[in-house]
């Protein structure tokens, strides 16, 4: 079930009306848990068991971690929780990848190896909810959080439908306290902000990202058929597509939770305006990058153990970040590229030239270089295989002539227009005017904009790009 | 102090009635905006649907007979021959010779043609005396040519057609789960049409003056004008027999086998309990209200169609031109009469058009 589907609107209308009609907090939370099961079960109800298994293990580990136990016993419980989570994730997401890689390696070495016969279905959103669940036990172990006593509360934290399948990856320390009291319509819900954010997310995903996908999928499928202009345009468009797809989903998730009175963490902070690559990662998929920072980079020592160790830590973090994005070598290579970029930027920042105070020109150059650098990792990330990625890179850099097919020349001004809209939105142009509108006028405007957005969705439904992660 | 604070808070709290009123206002705004957008969204272009519609609307008072159907009609009825034949047998109107128009469009089955007929009649064509509709069954399955979510399929899902399609779903001989799934798909398609889902790009293309027709075989106005909407399939084929014709020539028994299959289909008991009689009655009424006569035409095909004949036998007001009768007209299944298992060749189309015109003349004659 996608946020852009009619059946989601029906489910949400039912969930929303019933939720606010219920008086008791316990009843509301149980109702949300039921809705979350229906939402996830719409993909494959069998995997509900996996979510509950995962959350059951972490719930039990959380309880066991509390109390006056020895450090050794606590470490044991934490390890058990992490091993169980990683085992589930590893089996469902990486089993095939590692076996196929081992078979390929064995074949290359001339050793006998047969093809894999066990096909494993990847449960939707497993990477998101596993990380979310794992962060809870780590926080309890660190004594940053008291273990939750109610299993249904914990299950709701893991399975809360607005963020279940594609994030943001919510921290227990932020979400569980919100479950302690009944949410108040007056105090916890900002209706106009939430509806506006949902519509914005809908437009980003269903109108912009899906339209771009329809236009550029062919370029990635058959790179030699397309001109160099098409490849450069496709790179720029893919940057917009992946941003609008993922941040649009996050916007809709945050807005949906907001209408139920819950606050989810911000996941994107205008990453396309980042002026260096470290800045980019502070703004892009924030809930994931901060997860890696807090639960991997810092425990590895962060930047406290000297430059070399910092670089190694960064490299490890982004290697795993790449693997998190998908069980394919291209994601590993992409992760390594990100790590190399960050290490390069850190070395530059520590140099005499890089440490100089920044001005407007430097910001502009920084933005251009960052955007170019980001665009350069998309051929690896988006490419269907290494052969086609190689073909695309050859055409991009003039080593091959490219083919006769060409994307519409309208995409270039289209990109410029999208950039202008992006900057204007960042500058909150017209925001105060909107805020001053009386409710009735805002509502009429919202209805009209929603009708326009519905009309301009890309024909047909496409799965969210990030679901495969 | 606390009491005053509570009172202020209570005053700032939106009442349920106010929330409900705002929600209704938002929904009304959404639906009205969607209706406004729908009104200006152009017709789908695929396979010449829009071109034919535009052509007809511009000349709506020039035609007396309208043929509506799928590619079998498009490739099988030549209005020029029909007009000649009607003139030859002396059937004319107050304005002079009768003129017919072929509104056959590839893949246009019964519900879509019903929608098209309705839309064309809404233009109030003054001379129209007969609407000849290709007699497909009112088939509600939604995956025809995998076009479930195409603009064209969405476009005919107005309330009337969705209601009739749901009735066909209820009559389907299928497990309840399958019927439920098909019915739900129709409701989704209705919702998509109601809210113009994904149709904005056609609107933008219209404003920019661009065509979004992805098909090469679409008709231009000039092509429509050549033969009043008819176009022989041979125009797109290399000279010589088609693969289908070659297979028939190589195996003379195959044509007989097809005839036997169609005949067997014709002879099976008609299942009128599964036929959407309400849809047919509604169509007849709409055409009658426009001052014309509904005539059902069964083109030579590859399946039997006993239901339409059973209806015609039961109700003499049901005008049926049945040319799917291998026992009476075996000629239509000869190798030179067909391009493939569904479409007639140019020579067969000429012959069938003459036959259909003669039958129409009998129906349209006063007291016919």
């Amino acid at each position: 079930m996608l946020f852009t589907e009619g059946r989601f609107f029906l489910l949400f209308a039912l969930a929303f009306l019933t939720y606010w009609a219920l008086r008791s907090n316990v009843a509301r939370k149980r109702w949300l848990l039921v809705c979350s099961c229906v939402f996830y079960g719409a993909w494959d109800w069998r995997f509900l068991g996996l979510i509950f298994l995962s959350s059951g293990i972490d719930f039990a580990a959380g309880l066991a971690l509390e109390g006056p136990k020895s450090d050794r016993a606590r470490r044991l419980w934490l390890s058990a929780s992490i091993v169980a989570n990683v085992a589930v994730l590893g089996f469902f997401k990486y089993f095939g990848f590692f076996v196929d890689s081992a078979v390929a390696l064995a074949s290359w070495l001339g050793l006998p190896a047969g093809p894999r016969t066990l096909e494993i279905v990847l449960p939707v959103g497993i990477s998101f909810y596993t990380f979310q669940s794992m962060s809870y036990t780590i926080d309890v172990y660190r004594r940053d959080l008291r273990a939750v006593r109610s299993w249904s509360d914990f299950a709701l934290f893991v399975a809360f439908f607005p963020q279940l399948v594609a994030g943001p990856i919510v921290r227990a320390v932020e979400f569980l306290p919100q479950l302690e009291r009944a949410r108040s319509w007056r105090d916890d819900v900002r209706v106009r902000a939430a509806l506006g954010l949902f519509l914005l997310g809908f437009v980003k995903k269903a109108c912009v990202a899906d339209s771009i996908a329809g236009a550029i999928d062919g370029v990635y499928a058959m790179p030699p058929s397309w001109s160099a202009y098409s490849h450069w345009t496709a790179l720029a468009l893919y940057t917009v597509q992946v941003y609008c797809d993922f941040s649009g989903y996050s916007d809709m998730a945050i807005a949906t939770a907001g209408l139920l009175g819950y606050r989810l963490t911000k996941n994107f902070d205008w990453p396309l305006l980042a002026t260096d690559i470290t800045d980019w990662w502070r703004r892009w998929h924030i809930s994931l990058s901060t997860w890696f920072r807090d639960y991997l980079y810092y425990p590895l020592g962060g930047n406290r153990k000297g430059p070399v160790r910092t670089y190694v830590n960064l490299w490890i973090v982004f290697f795993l970040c790449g693997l998190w994005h998908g069980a394919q070598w291209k994601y590993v290579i992409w992760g390594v590229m990100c790590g190399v970029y960050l290490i390069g930027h850190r070395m530059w920042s520590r140099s005499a030239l890089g440490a100089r105070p920044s001005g407007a020109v430097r910001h502009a150059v920084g933005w251009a270089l960052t955007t170019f650098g980001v665009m350069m990792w998309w051929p690896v990330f988006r490419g269907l295989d290494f052969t086609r990625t190689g073909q695309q890179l050859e055409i991009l850099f003039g080593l091959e002539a490219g083919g006769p097919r060409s994307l519409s020349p309208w995409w270039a001004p289209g990109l410029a227009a999208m950039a202008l809209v992006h900057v204007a939105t960042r500058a909150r142009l017209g925001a105060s005017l909107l805020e001053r509108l009386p409710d009735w006028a805002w509502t009429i405007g919202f209805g009209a904009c929603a009708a326009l957005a519905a009309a301009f969705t890309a024909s047909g439904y496409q799965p969210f790009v990030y679901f495969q992660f | 102090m606390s009491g005053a604070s509570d009172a202020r808070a209570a005053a700032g709290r939106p009442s349920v009635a106010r929330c409900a009123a705002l929600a209704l206002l938002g929904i009304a705004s959404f639906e009205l905006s969607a209706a406004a957008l729908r009104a200006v969204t152009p017709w789908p272009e695929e396979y010449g649907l829009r071109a034919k519609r535009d052509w007809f609307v511009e000349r709506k008072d020039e035609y007396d007979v309208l043929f509506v159907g799928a590619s079998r009609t498009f490739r099988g009825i030549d209005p020029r021959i029909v007009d000649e034949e009607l003139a030859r047998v002396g059937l004319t109107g107050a304005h002079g010779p009768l003129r017919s128009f072929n509104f056959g469009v590839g893949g246009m089955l019964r519900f879509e043609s019903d929608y098209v007929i309705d839309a064309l009649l809404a233009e109030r064509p003054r001379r129209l005396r007969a609407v000849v509709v290709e007699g497909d069954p009112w088939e509600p399955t939604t995956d025809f040519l995998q076009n479930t979510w195409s603009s064209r399929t969405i476009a005919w899902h107005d309330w009337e057609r969705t209601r009739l399609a749901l009735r066909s779903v209820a009559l389907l001989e299928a497990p309840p789960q399958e019927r439920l799934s098909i019915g739900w798909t129709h409701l989704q398609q209705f919702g998509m049409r109601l809210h113009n889902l994904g149709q904005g790009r056609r609107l933008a293309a219209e404003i920019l003056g661009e065509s979004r027709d992805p098909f090469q075989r679409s008709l231009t106005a000039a092509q429509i004008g050549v033969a009043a909407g008819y176009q022989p399939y041979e125009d797109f084929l290399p000279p010589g027999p088609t693969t289908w014709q070659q297979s028939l020539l190589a195996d003379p028994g195959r044509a007989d086998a097809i005839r036997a299959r169609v005949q067997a289909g014709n002879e099976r008991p008609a299942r009128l309990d599964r036929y959407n009689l309400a849809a047919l009655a509604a169509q007849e009424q709409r055409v009658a209200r426009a001052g014309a006569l509904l005539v059902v035409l069964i083109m030579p095909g590859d399946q039997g169609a006993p239901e339409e004949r059973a209806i015609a036998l039961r109700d003499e007001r049901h005008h049926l031109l049945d040319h799917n009768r291998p026992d009476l007209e075996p000629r239509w299944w000869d190798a030179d009469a067909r391009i493939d298992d569904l479409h007639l060749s140019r020579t067969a189309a000429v012959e069938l058009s003459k036959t259909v015109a003669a039958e129409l003349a009998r129906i349209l004659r006063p007291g016919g």
Side-chain angles (χ1 to χ4, degrees), chain B residues 160-161 178 199:
Chain B
E160 176 65 5
R161 252 52 57 175
E178 191 182 331
Q199 306 305 308

Side-chain angles (χ1 to χ4, degrees), chain A residues 216 219-220 223 225-237 392 395-396 403-408:
Chain A
I216 65 173
V219 180
Y220 288 93
S225 306
W226 296 81
S227 65
Y229 157 77
S230 303
H231 282 286
W232 281 109
T233 309
L235 273 190
L237 285 172
Q392 185 178 29
I395 296 167
L396 282 169
R405 300 184 68 185
S406 187
L407 286 174
S408 164

Side-chain angles (χ1 to χ4, degrees), chain A residues 235-267:
Chain A
L235 273 190
L237 285 172
Y238 188 67
T239 310
V240 178
Q241 181 200 336
V242 76
Y243 167 71
C244 285
D245 196 298
F246 195 20
S247 73
Y249 188 91
S250 289
D251 290 344
M252 288 188 277
I254 292 167
T256 307
L259 286 170
L260 298 167
Y262 294 97
R263 200 173 53 77
L264 300 185
T265 185
K266 185 156 85 171
N267 217 14

Side-chain angles (χ1 to χ4, degrees), chain A residues 4-7 10 23 185-186 202 210-211 410 439-441 443-452 454-461, chain B residues 6 9-10 12-14 18-19 22-23 25-26 29-30 33-34 37 149 151 184 188 192 195-201 203-204 208 210:
Chain A
T4 48
E5 276 183 79
R7 58 184 181 154
L10 289 178
R23 289 283 172 192
W185 177 260
R186 186 186 59 187
F202 184 91
D210 287 354
S211 297
W410 283 104
D439 282 348
W440 64 267
T443 306
I444 289 174
F446 177 82
C449 290
L452 210 58
F456 280 89
T457 52
S459 293
Y461 289 103
Chain B
D6 285 351
R13 184 179 185 167
R18 187 165 187 275
C19 287
L22 282 172
L25 186 65
S29 165
F30 177 73
S33 306
L37 282 171
W149 307 114
S151 291
W184 171 242
Q188 283 179 284
M192 287 176 78
H195 301 127
N196 315 297
L197 236 58
Q199 306 305 308
R201 288 195 290 180
L203 182 60
L208 294 171
E210 288 182 352

Side-chain angles (χ1 to χ4, degrees), chain B residues 111-126:
Chain B
F111 286 110
E112 188 179 12
S113 66
D114 189 50
Y115 174 77
V116 166
I117 289 169
D118 228 8
L120 299 182
L121 294 180
E123 300 292 332
R124 301 184 183 280
R126 283 183 299 190

